[in-house]
Coordinates of all heavy atoms in Angstrom, one line a residue:
V168 N -10.7 -10.6 4.8 CA -11.4 -11.8 4.3 C -10.6 -12.3 3.1 O -10.5 -11.7 2.0 CB -12.8 -11.5 3.8 CG1 -13.5 -12.7 3.3 CG2 -13.6 -10.8 5.0
L169 N -10.0 -13.5 3.3 CA -9.2 -14.1 2.3 C -9.8 -15.5 1.9 O -10.1 -16.2 2.8 CB -7.7 -14.3 2.7 CG -6.9 -13.0 2.9 CD1 -5.5 -13.4 3.5 CD2 -6.7 -12.3 1.6
A170 N -9.8 -15.7 0.6 CA -10.3 -17.0 0.2 C -9.3 -18.1 0.1 O -9.5 -19.3 0.1 CB -11.0 -16.8 -1.2
R171 N -8.0 -17.6 -0.1 CA -6.9 -18.6 -0.3 C -5.6 -18.0 0.3 O -5.5 -16.8 0.5 CB -6.7 -19.1 -1.7 CG -6.4 -18.0 -2.7 CD -6.5 -18.5 -4.1 NE -6.2 -17.5 -5.1 CZ -5.0 -17.3 -5.7 NH1 -4.0 -18.0 -5.3 NH2 -4.9 -16.3 -6.6
P172 N -4.6 -18.8 0.5 CA -3.4 -18.3 1.1 C -2.7 -17.3 0.2 O -2.6 -17.4 -1.0 CB -2.5 -19.5 1.3 CG -3.5 -20.7 1.3 CD -4.6 -20.3 0.4
L173 N -2.1 -16.2 0.8 CA -1.4 -15.2 0.1 C -0.2 -15.7 -0.6 O 0.3 -15.2 -1.6 CB -1.0 -14.0 1.0 CG -2.1 -13.0 1.3 CD1 -1.4 -11.9 2.2 CD2 -2.6 -12.3 0.1
D174 N 0.4 -16.8 -0.1 CA 1.7 -17.3 -0.6 C 1.5 -17.9 -2.0 O 2.5 -18.2 -2.7 CB 2.4 -18.2 0.3 CG 1.6 -19.5 0.6 OD1 0.5 -19.7 0.0 OD2 2.0 -20.3 1.5
E175 N 0.3 -18.0 -2.5 CA 0.0 -18.5 -3.8 C 0.1 -17.4 -4.9 O 0.1 -17.7 -6.1 CB -1.3 -19.2 -3.9 CG -1.4 -20.4 -3.0 CD -2.8 -21.1 -3.0 OE1 -3.6 -20.6 -3.8 OE2 -3.0 -22.0 -2.3
L176 N 0.1 -16.1 -4.4 CA 0.1 -15.0 -5.3 C 1.5 -14.7 -5.8 O 2.5 -14.8 -5.0 CB -0.4 -13.7 -4.6 CG -1.9 -13.7 -4.2 CD1 -2.2 -12.5 -3.4 CD2 -2.8 -13.8 -5.4
P177 N 1.8 -14.3 -7.0 CA 3.1 -13.8 -7.5 C 3.3 -12.5 -6.9 O 2.6 -11.5 -7.2 CB 2.9 -13.8 -9.0 CG 1.5 -13.5 -9.2 CD 0.7 -14.2 -8.1
A178 N 4.3 -12.4 -6.0 CA 4.5 -11.2 -5.2 C 5.9 -10.7 -4.9 O 6.8 -11.6 -4.9 CB 3.8 -11.3 -3.8
T179 N 6.1 -9.4 -4.8 CA 7.3 -8.8 -4.3 C 7.1 -8.1 -3.1 O 6.1 -7.3 -3.0 CB 7.9 -7.9 -5.4 OG1 8.2 -8.7 -6.6 CG2 9.2 -7.2 -4.9
Y180 N 7.9 -8.2 -2.1 CA 7.8 -7.4 -0.9 C 9.0 -6.5 -0.8 O 10.1 -6.9 -0.8 CB 7.8 -8.3 0.4 CG 7.4 -7.5 1.6 CD1 6.1 -7.4 2.0 CD2 8.4 -6.8 2.4 CE1 5.7 -6.6 3.1 CE2 8.0 -6.0 3.4 CZ 6.7 -5.9 3.8 OH 6.3 -5.1 4.9
I181 N 8.7 -5.2 -0.7 CA 9.8 -4.2 -0.6 C 9.9 -3.8 0.9 O 9.0 -3.3 1.5 CB 9.5 -3.0 -1.5 CG1 9.4 -3.4 -2.9 CG2 10.5 -1.9 -1.3 CD1 8.9 -2.2 -3.9
H182 N 11.1 -4.0 1.4 CA 11.4 -3.7 2.8 C 12.2 -2.4 2.9 O 13.4 -2.4 2.3 CB 12.1 -4.8 3.5 CG 12.4 -4.6 4.9 ND1 13.4 -5.2 5.6 CD2 11.7 -3.9 5.9 CE1 13.4 -4.9 6.9 NE2 12.3 -4.1 7.1
C183 N 11.7 -1.4 3.5 CA 12.5 -0.1 3.6 C 13.3 -0.1 4.9 O 12.7 -0.1 6.0 CB 11.5 1.1 3.5 SG 10.6 1.2 1.9
L184 N 14.6 -0.1 4.7 CA 15.4 -0.3 5.9 C 15.4 0.8 6.9 O 15.6 0.5 8.1 CB 16.9 -0.6 5.4 CG 17.0 -1.8 4.5 CD1 18.4 -1.9 4.0 CD2 16.6 -3.1 5.2
L185 N 15.3 2.0 6.5 CA 15.3 3.1 7.4 C 14.1 3.2 8.3 O 14.1 3.9 9.4 CB 15.5 4.5 6.7 CG 16.8 4.8 6.0 CD1 16.8 6.2 5.5 CD2 18.0 4.6 7.0
A186 N 13.1 2.4 7.9 CA 11.8 2.4 8.8 C 12.1 1.7 10.1 O 11.4 1.9 11.1 CB 10.7 1.7 8.0
G187 N 13.2 0.9 10.1 CA 13.7 0.4 11.4 C 13.0 -0.9 11.8 O 13.6 -1.7 12.6
A188 N 11.8 -1.2 11.4 CA 11.1 -2.4 11.8 C 11.7 -3.7 11.1 O 12.0 -3.7 9.9 CB 9.7 -2.3 11.5
E189 N 11.8 -4.8 11.9 CA 12.1 -6.1 11.3 C 10.9 -6.6 10.5 O 9.7 -6.1 10.7 CB 12.4 -7.1 12.4 CG 13.7 -6.7 13.2 CD 14.9 -6.8 12.4 OE1 15.0 -7.7 11.5 OE2 15.8 -6.0 12.6
L190 N 11.1 -7.5 9.6 CA 10.0 -8.1 8.9 C 9.1 -8.8 9.9 O 9.6 -9.5 10.8 CB 10.5 -9.1 7.8 CG 11.2 -8.5 6.6 CD1 11.8 -9.6 5.8 CD2 10.3 -7.7 5.8
S191 N 7.8 -8.6 9.7 CA 6.9 -9.3 10.6 C 7.0 -10.8 10.4 O 7.4 -11.3 9.3 CB 5.4 -8.8 10.4 OG 5.0 -9.3 9.1
D192 N 6.5 -11.6 11.3 CA 6.5 -13.0 11.2 C 5.7 -13.5 10.0 O 6.0 -14.4 9.3 CB 6.0 -13.7 12.5 CG 6.9 -13.6 13.6 OD1 8.1 -13.2 13.4 OD2 6.5 -13.8 14.8
D193 N 4.5 -12.8 9.8 CA 3.7 -13.1 8.7 C 4.4 -12.9 7.3 O 4.3 -13.8 6.4 CB 2.4 -12.2 8.7 CG 1.4 -12.7 9.8 OD1 1.6 -13.8 10.3 OD2 0.5 -11.9 10.0
V194 N 5.1 -11.8 7.2 CA 5.8 -11.5 5.9 C 7.0 -12.5 5.8 O 7.2 -13.0 4.7 CB 6.3 -10.0 5.9 CG1 7.2 -9.8 4.7 CG2 5.1 -9.1 5.9
A195 N 7.7 -12.7 6.8 CA 8.8 -13.7 6.7 C 8.4 -15.1 6.3 O 9.0 -15.7 5.5 CB 9.5 -13.8 8.1
K196 N 7.2 -15.5 6.8 CA 6.7 -16.8 6.4 C 6.3 -16.8 4.9 O 6.6 -17.7 4.1 CB 5.5 -17.2 7.2 CG 4.9 -18.5 6.9 CD 3.8 -18.9 7.9 CE 3.2 -20.3 7.6 NZ 2.1 -20.6 8.5
L197 N 5.6 -15.7 4.5 CA 5.2 -15.6 3.1 C 6.4 -15.6 2.1 O 6.4 -16.2 1.0 CB 4.4 -14.3 2.8 CG 3.0 -14.3 3.4 CD1 2.4 -12.9 3.5 CD2 2.1 -15.2 2.6
L198 N 7.5 -15.0 2.6 CA 8.7 -15.0 1.7 C 9.4 -16.3 1.6 O 10.4 -16.4 0.8 CB 9.7 -13.9 2.3 CG 9.3 -12.5 2.1 CD1 10.2 -11.5 2.9 CD2 9.5 -12.1 0.6
T199 N 9.0 -17.3 2.3 CA 9.5 -18.7 2.0 C 8.8 -19.3 0.8 O 9.3 -20.4 0.4 CB 9.3 -19.6 3.3 OG1 7.9 -19.8 3.5 CG2 10.0 -19.0 4.5
S200 N 7.8 -18.7 0.3 CA 7.1 -19.2 -0.8 C 7.9 -19.0 -2.1 O 8.6 -18.0 -2.2 CB 5.7 -18.5 -1.0 OG 5.2 -18.8 -2.3
R201 N 7.9 -19.9 -3.0 CA 8.6 -19.8 -4.3 C 8.0 -18.7 -5.1 O 8.6 -18.2 -6.1 CB 8.6 -21.1 -5.0 CG 7.2 -21.6 -5.5 CD 7.3 -23.0 -6.1 NE 6.0 -23.5 -6.5 CZ 5.5 -23.3 -7.7 NH1 6.1 -22.5 -8.6 NH2 4.3 -23.8 -7.9
H202 N 6.8 -18.2 -4.8 CA 6.1 -17.1 -5.6 C 6.5 -15.7 -5.1 O 6.1 -14.8 -5.7 CB 4.6 -17.3 -5.5 CG 4.1 -18.6 -6.0 ND1 4.2 -19.0 -7.3 CD2 3.5 -19.7 -5.3 CE1 3.7 -20.3 -7.4 NE2 3.3 -20.7 -6.3
W203 N 7.1 -15.6 -4.0 CA 7.4 -14.3 -3.3 C 8.9 -14.0 -3.4 O 9.8 -15.0 -3.3 CB 7.0 -14.3 -1.9 CG 5.5 -14.1 -1.7 CD1 4.5 -14.8 -2.2 CD2 4.9 -13.0 -1.0 NE1 3.3 -14.3 -1.8 CE2 3.5 -13.2 -1.0 CE3 5.4 -12.0 -0.2 CZ2 2.6 -12.4 -0.4 CZ3 4.5 -11.1 0.4 CH2 3.1 -11.3 0.3
R204 N 9.3 -12.8 -3.5 CA 10.7 -12.4 -3.4 C 10.8 -11.1 -2.6 O 9.8 -10.3 -2.5 CB 11.4 -12.2 -4.7 CG 11.0 -11.0 -5.5 CD 11.8 -10.9 -6.8 NE 11.5 -9.7 -7.5 CZ 12.4 -8.7 -7.7 NH1 13.6 -8.8 -7.2 NH2 12.1 -7.6 -8.4
L205 N 11.9 -10.9 -2.0 CA 12.2 -9.7 -1.2 C 13.1 -8.8 -1.9 O 14.1 -9.2 -2.5 CB 12.8 -10.2 0.2 CG 13.3 -9.1 1.1 CD1 12.1 -8.3 1.7 CD2 14.1 -9.7 2.3

Side-chain angles (χ1 to χ4, degrees):
V168 180
L169 291 174
R171 61 189 178 97
L173 279 182
D174 61 5
E175 296 177 6
L176 296 173
T179 296
Y180 191 92
I181 299 174
H182 184 208
C183 296
L184 299 178
L185 291 185
E189 296 293 325
L190 292 172
S191 70
D192 291 343
D193 285 348
V194 171
K196 183 177 180 181
L197 288 165
L198 285 167
T199 64
S200 166
R201 63 186 178 88
H202 301 294
W203 280 59
R204 75 178 184 112
L205 174 67

